């Protein structure tokens, strides 16, 4: 096992020779977020799972605050994992920030990606002139201050808002668990890197086909963002808005989301 594989808890599953699928998780989760999708993939595909640095399942001693102050650091990790595994080409399924990480990686290494399936993705969370990301600067500062002052209390409040359910729900409890697993100072740093990022200048350079999948109601990503991605990505793209709630629909609404994901994985965008 190579260095990148070890530090990112890489697992390679499945007996399928069809293609390699790589699953990238979002903020506050780890590779376990794919537990509902995974059984539907392993018979037909070679499946690569990994944890982003900073996830509660990774060694916090390896978290380089400077490297991961921007999404480029995570993109370099993804490229290193794929090269270590000698992946020639892959279907990259990225949730939330990982969709943008995959997009960045594809700019310099397009041959590694035959397509990107992006779930709950946003190139920018802050509102701007002629752009609605869903957050004002004051919103983000309040979020960061809450994380600083009492991380556990913030997790308990944020999880049901992000998932779109009550604290008793299984998906909320699962997201709460992985959020709590993060070291608070690392979680804050990761949140700042994500919520203050602006990936809009990169989009035109992304020539790999992108399938943009979005919940109808998502606290973090307004529906209009999916159309913004569609209009500004440099290659072919398609958008599907699902009748789901929350930022983690693959966890909270697997019966709806799994068939949608499988369809976008299996079928390419029509010419």
């Amino acid at each position: 096992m190579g260095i990148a594989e070890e530090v990112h808890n890489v697992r390679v599953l499945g007996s399928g020779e069809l293609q390699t699928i790589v699953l990238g998780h979002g903020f506050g989760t780890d590779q376990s977020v794919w537990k509902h999708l995974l059984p539907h993939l392993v018979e037909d595909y070679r499946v690569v799972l990994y944890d982003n640095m900073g996830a509660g399942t990774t060694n916090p001693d390896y978290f380089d605050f400077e490297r991961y102050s921007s999404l480029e650091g995570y993109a370099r990790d993804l490229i290193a994992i794929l090269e270590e595994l000698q992946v020639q080409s892959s279907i990259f399924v990225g949730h939330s920030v990982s969709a943008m990480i995959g997009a960045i990686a594809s700019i310099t290494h397009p041959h590694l990606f035959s397509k990107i399936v992006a779930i709950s993705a946003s190139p920018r969370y802050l509102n701007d002139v002629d752009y609605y990301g869903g957050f004002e600067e004051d919103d983000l500062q309040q979020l960061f201050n809450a994380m600083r002052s009492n991380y556990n209390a913030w997790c308990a409040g944020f999880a049901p808002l992000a998932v779109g359910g009550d604290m008793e729900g299984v998906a909320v409890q699962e997201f709460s668990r992985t959020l709590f697993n993060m070291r608070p100072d690392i979680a804050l740093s990761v949140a700042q890197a994500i919520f203050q990022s602006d990936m809009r200048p990169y989009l035109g350079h992304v020539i790999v086909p992108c399938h943009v999948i979005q919940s109808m109601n998502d606290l973090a990503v307004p529906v209009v963002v999916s159309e913004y991605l569609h209009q500004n990505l440099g290659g072919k793209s398609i958008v599907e808005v699902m009748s789901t709630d929350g930022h983690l629909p693959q966890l909270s609404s697997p019966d709806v989301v799994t068939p949608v994901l499988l369809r976008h994985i299996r079928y390419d965008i029509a010419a």
Side-chain angles (χ1 to χ4, degrees):
M1 179 177 280
I3 295 171
E5 292 173 73
E6 185 175 352
V7 300
H8 294 282
N9 305 317
V10 170
R11 290 191 299 152
V12 181
L13 304 173
S15 53
E17 297 297 320
L18 197 59
Q19 273 174 309
T20 297
I21 292 182
V22 182
L23 303 177
H25 67 84
F27 169 71
T29 61
D30 55 43
Q31 61 186 260
S32 67
V33 80
W34 301 112
K35 64 183 181 180
H36 297 297
L37 177 64
L38 189 59
H40 299 274
L41 299 176
V42 290
E43 285 190 15
D44 296 325
Y45 300 94
R46 177 192 188 210
V47 185
V48 176
L49 298 117
Y50 69 99
D51 295 329
N52 282 320
M53 193 53 61
T57 45
T58 60
N59 186 337
D61 293 340
Y62 294 149
F63 188 83
D64 183 328
F65 285 87
E66 185 175 345
R67 178 184 177 91
Y68 300 112
S69 63
S70 72
L71 303 190
E72 286 86 345
Y74 297 97
R76 291 199 299 272
D77 288 349
L78 174 57
I79 292 164
I81 291 167
L82 298 182
E83 289 184 338
E84 240 175 50
L85 292 174
Q86 298 182 326
V87 171
Q88 302 300 311
S89 179
S90 70
I91 296 171
F92 182 77
V93 182
H95 173 238
S96 191
V97 65
S98 274
M100 289 295 108
I101 291 166
I104 295 168
S106 77
I107 294 171
T108 56
H109 292 68
H111 61 284
L112 293 177
F113 304 89
S114 62
K115 74 167 86 167
I116 294 172
V117 179
I119 311 163
S120 310
S122 177
R124 179 182 166 103
Y125 295 87
L126 268 174
N127 298 330
D128 198 6
V129 178
D130 297 328
Y131 176 81
Y132 183 65
F135 293 85
E136 296 291 347
E137 183 63 42
D138 285 351
D139 299 328
L140 295 187
Q141 292 311 316
Q142 287 177 22
L143 184 149
F144 300 148
N145 288 337
M147 293 179 76
R148 282 190 198 95
S149 61
N150 188 330
Y151 182 69
N152 286 355
W154 175 80
C155 288
F158 182 73
L161 289 174
V163 174
D166 59 61
M167 278 305 290
E168 302 308 311
V170 174
V172 174
Q173 291 181 352
E174 180 67 12
F175 185 46
S176 298
R177 178 187 67 81
T178 52
L179 263 182
F180 279 124
N181 278 347
M182 295 183 76
R183 207 174 77 187
D185 59 331
I186 290 175
L188 175 61
S189 179
V190 174
Q192 289 172 325
I194 294 169
F195 282 109
Q196 293 176 330
S197 65
D198 188 354
M199 296 294 110
R200 293 176 301 172
Y202 288 81
L203 298 180
H205 302 286
V206 179
I207 58 171
V208 170
C210 291
H211 299 240
V212 179
I213 300 171
Q214 169 76 42
S215 284
M216 181 67 72
N217 298 299
D218 182 341
L219 167 86
V221 185
V223 151
V224 293
V225 171
S226 59
E227 185 59 28
Y228 181 89
L229 287 169
H230 180 50
Q231 296 295 333
N232 289 276
L233 284 161
K236 292 190 295 185
S237 64
I238 190 170
V239 172
E240 181 160 352
V241 178
M242 304 176 294
S243 61
T244 50
D245 290 326
H247 190 61
L248 298 93
Q250 75 274 40
L251 193 63
S252 59
S253 304
D255 292 348
V256 175
V257 177
T258 298
V260 172
L261 288 176
L262 291 174
R263 179 159 38 83
H264 284 278
I265 286 167
R266 289 170 179 156
Y267 298 106
D268 294 334
I269 301 170

